[in-house]
Amino acid sequence: MKIKTGILAVIATLAAGHASAAVLRLECGAPGPGQDVCMTSAKEWAKKTGNEIQFVATPNDSNEQLALLQQLLGSGSDKIDVLQIDVVWPGILANQLLDLKGYSKGAEKQHFASIIANDTVGGKLVAMPWYIDTGMMYYRKDLLEKYNQKPPVTWDEMTATAKKIQDAERAAGNDKLWGFVWQGRAYEGLTCDALEWLSSFNAGTIVDPSGKISVNNANAAKALDTAAKWVGSISPKAVLNFAEEEARGVFQSGNAVFMRNWPYAWSVMSQDGSVVKGKIGVMMLPKGGAAGRHAATLGGWQLAVSRYSKNPALAADLVMYLTSAQVQKFRAIKGSFNPTMPALYQDKDIIKASPFMAELYPTFASAVPRPSTVTATKYNQVSNQFWNAVHDVLSGNAKPTDALAQLDGSLKRLSANGTWK
Ligand code: GLC
């Protein structure tokens, strides 16, 4: 499904066969099974309303998607009506998106208030919440049991457990096994992983909510140092080019003890035929030492309508349908996409399909947001500088203290000394 930036490929068309049917173009891809799950619900809407939907594909990496959408919306193109937007984009794209307030009929009240606040920019409801992501740790229950290991609480414990099992299994001939896989490519996903490391060591969130650049501190250096030591030891060097799906590929083939990923991975890995089905445990990401805390980055996606859509009312209707409780329930069961409605976390069918949604509920409520609200239109540049600095450290090209000092300087220049205007 990967396509070059700048080209929008129509991947499927659903014709309603009505002479008066409108054609709506919908972009709703996600790693793993996300596209199919979205298509199923969109097709229901098309059938119900007698309209036509064209599904458009975009690149997998969220920052590449952003570049493509900015290019498209920036030219006022009507090639897309409904788009999925990352939780960190409302400030960046607000001007190109329709205010959904006139169409929502109060549906906002069913969603977590914090996400509605995130999706409201300058009083405009620029998107409706669709699903929440938070970073989680997947592990091989069977391997931890085999070696009599408890699920680790701190990163140091995780490192020791991973190393122990990796060494023992390799000595026994399982030479493809790695201790820990995660997202180390220089892209938005690395910002998410590294924010978790920082936050777990009480090192702040790069830029604090008042706009102050806080990334250059000793705990952050410690966090990056911890992660850099994994590369080539418990994590393959190739992790430096892993996004979500590459990490899942290794874990799902049975070749990793631990994996950091988002909730979607649960449903794909638990399907019939999956080598690791029934062997997967899920827990909070480890703490940065005894004084640290469990931290999970807040991710997730929203649905929005382009300002340039020729069918704004119909497009908004599609958004309201796809973000409704009924569709969110279907998505939670089928694709383990975390609902954005508190009530659905009490739903028995959802909890049966994805027990972690109940078990890790406190993590979802306290997930760490990236500094996108305060840095607004500059968020993507902030993130880009951060992930490059982190990638340099992980690749062994820079010492944590040097990389952080340099990042501090370049973020200060970008922000005009912390004003972000
Ligand atoms: C997931 C998250 C999104 C994040 C992305 C990074 O899709 O939902 O918020 O930006 O991963 O790869």
Side-chain angles (χ1 to χ4, degrees):
M1 205 65 75
K2 234 180 150 95
I3 56 160
K4 278 190 199 141
T5 302
I7 303 169
L8 263 194
V10 172
I11 53 174
T13 302
L14 182 83
H18 289 252
S20 60
V23 180
L24 285 190
R25 288 158 173 150
L26 166 66
E27 177 261 313
C28 62
Q35 181 87 45
D36 289 346
V37 182
C38 170
M39 279 183 169
T40 305
S41 307
K43 284 175 186 170
E44 277 162 18
W45 179 88
K47 203 165 160 214
K48 201 162 67 109
T49 62
N51 292 291
E52 201 175 293
I53 293 193
Q54 285 186 346
F55 295 93
V56 286
T58 50
N60 274 343
D61 290 357
S62 122
N63 45 288
E64 285 180 27
Q65 276 180 40
L66 177 63
L68 174 59
L69 291 171
Q70 281 183 307
Q71 181 186 328
L72 205 72
L73 295 169
S75 68
S77 161
D78 65 353
K79 286 216 167 65
I80 216 151
D81 297 282
V82 172
L83 55 148
Q84 59 161 30
I85 72 168
D86 198 337
V87 69
V88 285
W89 301 348
I92 301 176
L93 296 179
N95 290 340
Q96 321 280 2
L97 304 175
L98 197 71
D99 184 355
L100 294 172
K101 275 224 174 97
Y103 304 94
S104 64
K105 303 195 186 94
E108 299 92 301
K109 289 192 206 81
Q110 296 172 32
H111 299 265
F112 288 107
S114 54
I115 310 182
I116 292 292
N118 181 73
D119 297 345
T120 306
V121 180
K124 267 176 44 174
L125 180 64
V126 300
M128 283 301 287
W130 199 28
Y131 65 95
I132 302 178
D133 267 337
T134 58
M136 332 195 291
M137 189 66 122
Y138 293 87
Y139 64 95
R140 286 281 300 281
K141 273 193 308 200
D142 57 324
L143 287 177
L144 263 64
E145 267 160 33
K146 179 170 170 191
Y147 292 97
N148 217 0
Q149 298 290 302
K150 283 209 241 22
V153 177
T154 64
W155 288 115
D156 281 351
E157 286 171 23
M158 186 283 294
T159 308
T161 303
K163 183 88 175 66
K164 184 174 180 171
I165 298 177
Q166 180 183 298
D167 288 352
E169 284 288 301
R170 286 193 184 182
N174 186 359
D175 57 357
K176 286 203 188 109
L177 189 80
W178 285 100
F180 181 34
V181 290
W182 38 282
Q183 293 74 42
R185 180 185 296 172
Y187 81 124
E188 183 64 25
L190 177 55
T191 290
C192 297
D193 285 39
L195 178 64
E196 282 157 357
W197 310 331
L198 259 62
S199 201
S200 76
F201 277 89
N202 300 318
T205 55
I206 313 164
V207 177
D208 78 16
S210 75
K212 192 171 163 280
I213 294 153
S214 60
V215 75
N216 189 14
N217 66 72
N219 284 349
K222 223 167 135 186
L224 295 189
D225 192 46
T226 303
K229 291 196 176 117
W230 297 328
V231 181
S233 159
I234 56 168
S235 306
K237 287 220 167 80
V239 82
L240 296 174
N241 200 25
F242 276 11
E244 287 81 0
E245 282 292 85
E246 285 80 9
R248 180 176 70 83
V250 174
F251 190 88
Q252 190 162 345
S253 326
N255 292 331
V257 185
F258 293 99
M259 170 178 70
R260 185 268 177 212
N261 216 320
W262 306 107
Y264 84 92
W266 172 263
S267 58
V268 212
M269 300 194 305
S270 305
Q271 273 166 13
D272 287 343
S274 162
V275 175
V276 293
K277 182 181 175 171
K279 300 179 177 165
I280 315 162
V282 169
M283 63 181 201
M284 287 188 280
L285 289 158
K287 295 203 242 183
R293 62 193 203 98
H294 297 286
T297 294
L298 176 67
W301 292 82
Q302 342 292 311
L303 288 176
V305 175
S306 158
R307 236 181 83 187
Y308 312 104
S309 168
K310 296 226 168 77
N311 294 293
L314 270 181
D317 191 63
L318 174 58
V319 166
M320 297 318 298
Y321 178 72
L322 291 177
T323 56
S324 67
Q326 178 199 338
V327 173
Q328 291 213 7
K329 176 169 177 174
F330 167 74
R331 294 174 56 77
I333 292 170
K334 193 87 188 148
S336 55
F337 291 108
N338 269 65
T340 58
M341 300 176 173
L344 290 179
Y345 287 84
Q346 316 287 332
D347 186 293
K348 292 206 175 64
D349 304 331
I350 293 181
I351 293 168
K352 189 168 166 238
S354 304
F356 71 84
M357 288 194 191
E359 287 155 18
L360 298 187
Y361 186 76
T363 344
F364 301 127
S366 65
V368 184
R370 283 160 275 174
S372 56
T373 303
V374 69
T375 59
T377 54
K378 291 188 176 154
Y379 170 73
N380 192 43
Q381 285 159 279
V382 171
S383 183
N384 192 302
Q385 292 189 7
F386 177 63
W387 80 56
N388 280 329
V390 174
H391 200 267
D392 275 351
V393 173
L394 298 174
S395 321
N397 296 334
K399 284 208 305 213
T401 43
D402 293 345
L404 291 171
Q406 213 185 358
L407 175 64
D408 183 65
S410 62
L411 288 178
K412 280 188 177 132
R413 285 191 292 283
L414 177 66
S415 73
N417 278 320
T419 59
W420 301 108
K421 292 289 174 233

